[in-house]
Amino acid sequence: MVFGAYFWGVCGDMKGRRFVILASMGMDALCSVLSSLTQDALYFLIIRIGNGFAIIGATCMIYVYFGEFLSPNKRDIYLLSLEIFWVLGIIAGQGIAMVIIPSDLVLLSNTYIVFNAWRAFIFLSSIPSFIGFILIYLYPESPRYLMYRGRMIESRDILEKIYIVNNKNTVASYPVTSFTQTYSAIGFNRAYIEGIPFMTNLKIRLITLKNGHKTLFTSYGRKIIVTSVIEFCLMASYIAVLLWLPELFSRYYEFKKKRLEDVYICTASEWVLKYQSNDTVREVSADAYFAAMLVSLSTVPPIIITGILIKYVNKKILLCMSCGIPIISVALITITKNDLQAEIMCCIFEGFTTLTEPILFVTMVELFPSNVKGVAFSMTVMIGRLGAIFGIIVFGILIDKNCTLTFYLIAALLFIAFLATGFLPRLKIGGSH
């Protein structure tokens, strides 16, 4: 994902937003199918790396693609609505996993191939990418991107189709007859000269790519640093909790089978680690799956409420809330004395941290112009995935060494993100001019 975020972001500025989404979703679907069929652990790992490299392209580029179709007064609420479908996808994944993985399903088993429950789950996970590929294939390239590429006639034709669909009851023709490029668009388009030698064309593209990075870090340096810090701290904390929470709940329910008293969730984790033999095969409790689904469901109401508020409240304030409130809840997880209290605190944490990335992406669509937007998104998402790696590894080790300290460090990261939001420039309310 780290390398994929940067690759696809740069590719999005050079080859197009739609191209990136199609290529990344197609590659993800193919890798999912292949990984469900492979029988070798090394090949499985390599193919799953392909999944990570692929899917991050669509994850970051969909905001750029969708945002460039929308007028400023509609952009914020529509881009934020994408997060609802992200959450629904997580819930669906956990629900399907809860049904399929613990089962004894074996669809095929012989000397050469075994296709059992977890393989079926991975195979099913390819279906959304196939559907996404087909749907995006039916839609055009971003008209704003085409303008920057100098393809004015294509851009106008797409906008005319949008006009016709949006004005079904009118007979008036599309009023715009032609477009002209701005100075920045002309400079952006210099990398796309047809009919010249390959090496010359490559050199021009590389120079343009270098200039794009130079523009990003000189004219928008403070903004890209702030968005990268927020994304790093968010993903390090959010992914760590999302990944290790089912394991903690599983340990808690394992403890409850042996002991009846209510204890802190970290105390239960330490007890299981101390008294359970390493040779013991421990099945993940269905209650742990259900707890994870409940936490995911809790993110839906905050997203809907924020979708209403974003029309009237500054996005900077919303970012402060989405980073600030989880600081308290994640610290309180350590002193919860039963699974219900822990689930409530986790619901608050996930409910608000889930909001941070979409609000940040909506903000970035406003902060960066189209000629550096793809690179800006790729840099921010790349730094965020480095944060995810940090969270998975560091907290994965700490959670067995000192569970309580893990949650305090997560709170500290969110506090850094909270402080970083103060360095963002003044933002528009409701995406209006």
Side-chain angles (χ1 to χ4, degrees):
M1 285 189 173
V2 171
F3 294 107
Y6 182 77
F7 171 82
W8 292 117
V10 171
C11 194
D13 279 349
M14 298 184 74
K15 297 292 291 181
R17 321 316 194 188
R18 178 176 175 269
F19 171 84
V20 165
I21 299 172
L22 282 173
S24 62
M25 297 198 83
M27 180 178 174
D28 178 69
L30 179 62
C31 287
S32 293
V33 172
L34 292 176
S35 62
S36 70
L37 297 174
T38 184
Q39 305 296 300
D40 184 88
L42 178 60
Y43 292 153
F44 179 82
L45 174 63
I46 292 171
I47 295 170
R48 295 309 293 180
I49 289 173
N51 277 106
F53 179 87
I55 198 60
I56 197 65
T59 303
C60 62
M61 197 53 61
I62 192 67
Y63 281 88
V64 179
Y65 177 73
F66 191 28
E68 290 182 345
F69 276 94
L70 299 167
S71 58
N73 63 328
K74 301 282 187 182
R75 186 182 298 139
D76 289 354
I77 187 169
Y78 276 87
L79 288 178
L80 190 65
S81 69
L82 288 178
E83 190 65 15
I84 294 178
F85 296 93
W86 166 267
V87 171
L88 291 176
I90 293 175
I91 294 168
Q94 290 167 342
I96 295 169
M98 184 171 64
V99 173
I100 293 180
I101 293 179
S103 71
D104 297 325
L105 177 70
V106 178
L107 295 176
L108 181 64
S109 179
N110 57 42
T111 308
Y112 304 102
I113 188 170
V114 174
F115 195 84
N116 49 11
W118 68 266
R119 295 179 187 278
F121 173 73
I122 292 177
F123 181 85
L124 288 174
S125 72
S126 69
I127 295 176
S129 288
F130 273 123
I131 294 173
F133 178 90
I134 293 168
L135 292 176
I136 294 295
Y137 183 80
L138 299 175
Y139 280 79
E141 180 58 87
S142 157
R144 188 174 181 85
Y145 172 79
L146 292 174
M147 287 183 196
Y148 271 89
R149 282 288 303 268
R151 294 154 64 178
M152 297 301 189
I153 296 175
E154 291 178 65
S155 179
R156 187 205 169 277
D157 290 344
I158 291 169
L159 289 172
E160 183 177 28
K161 291 177 183 177
I162 294 172
Y163 176 82
I164 292 170
V165 170
N166 290 342
N167 297 275
K168 292 179 180 178
N169 298 323
T170 182
V171 294
S173 60
Y174 185 53
V176 180
T177 56
S178 63
F179 296 133
T180 57
Q181 281 188 303
T182 62
Y183 175 78
S184 61
I186 293 170
F188 181 66
N189 191 43
R190 284 179 185 154
Y192 306 100
I193 303 171
E194 304 295 340
I196 61 176
F198 172 78
M199 291 306 297
T200 306
N201 198 358
L202 179 63
K203 183 179 178 180
I204 294 173
R205 286 171 182 263
L206 290 175
I207 291 172
T208 304
L209 183 61
K210 182 194 74 173
N211 291 339
H213 282 75
K214 184 179 179 180
T215 301
L216 179 64
F217 285 101
T218 53
S219 302
Y220 307 96
R222 176 178 168 179
K223 294 176 182 178
I224 192 64
I225 290 171
V226 171
T227 57
S228 296
V229 168
I230 294 172
E231 181 75 357
F232 180 92
C233 295
L234 166 71
M235 296 307 293
S237 53
Y238 173 76
I239 295 295
V241 174
L242 189 68
L243 182 68
W244 294 111
L245 188 63
E247 173 64 17
L248 275 180
F249 276 121
S250 185
R251 291 177 186 179
Y252 185 86
Y253 293 123
E254 188 70 21
F255 172 85
K256 292 289 285 184
K257 289 178 183 177
K258 312 290 183 182
R259 310 284 291 271
L260 295 176
E261 69 268 23
D262 288 331
V263 296
Y264 301 138
I265 193 167
C266 284
T267 303
S269 174
E270 290 163 3
W271 185 92
V272 170
L273 290 172
K274 183 177 180 180
Y275 292 104
Q276 183 172 270
S277 170
N278 291 330
D279 298 329
T280 304
V281 177
R282 180 167 57 86
E283 294 183 1
V284 178
S285 168
D287 291 331
Y289 281 110
F290 182 76
M293 282 189 63
L294 187 64
V295 170
S296 297
L297 278 167
S298 70
T299 62
V300 176
I303 292 171
I304 295 173
I305 294 170
T306 306
I308 299 170
L309 291 178
I310 204 167
K311 295 171 65 177
Y312 311 103
V313 180
N314 194 296
K315 291 188 283 291
K316 198 168 177 178
I317 296 174
L318 294 175
L319 272 174
C320 288
M321 288 175 55
S322 64
C323 292
I325 293 174
I327 297 172
I328 302 170
S329 63
V330 77
L332 290 177
I333 290 175
T334 59
I335 60 172
T336 55
K337 295 210 67 175
N338 57 56
D339 56 324
L340 178 61
Q341 293 176 3
E343 284 174 17
I344 290 172
M345 290 300 105
C346 289
C347 285
I348 295 172
F349 173 85
E350 291 286 336
F352 283 92
T353 52
T354 301
L355 292 173
T356 305
E357 189 169 61
I359 296 174
L360 181 65
F361 284 175
V362 169
T363 300
M364 288 178 66
V365 170
E366 178 183 324
L367 289 179
F368 299 100
S370 290
N371 58 320
V372 296
K373 197 173 289 179
V375 176
F377 267 81
S378 68
M379 290 292 293
T380 302
V381 173
M382 182 181 72
I383 297 297
R385 268 48 195 182
L386 285 171
I389 293 171
F390 173 85
I392 290 168
I393 295 174
V394 174
F395 297 134
I397 294 170
L398 282 179
I399 210 163
D400 287 350
K401 302 291 185 184
N402 192 324
C403 176
T404 303
L405 177 63
T406 302
F407 286 103
Y408 289 150
L409 285 175
I410 290 172
L413 280 171
L414 288 170
F415 184 69
I416 295 171
F418 175 79
L419 293 177
T421 59
F423 291 92
L424 286 171
R426 187 176 179 181
L427 301 168
K428 300 166 187 172
I429 297 176
S432 59
H433 289 292

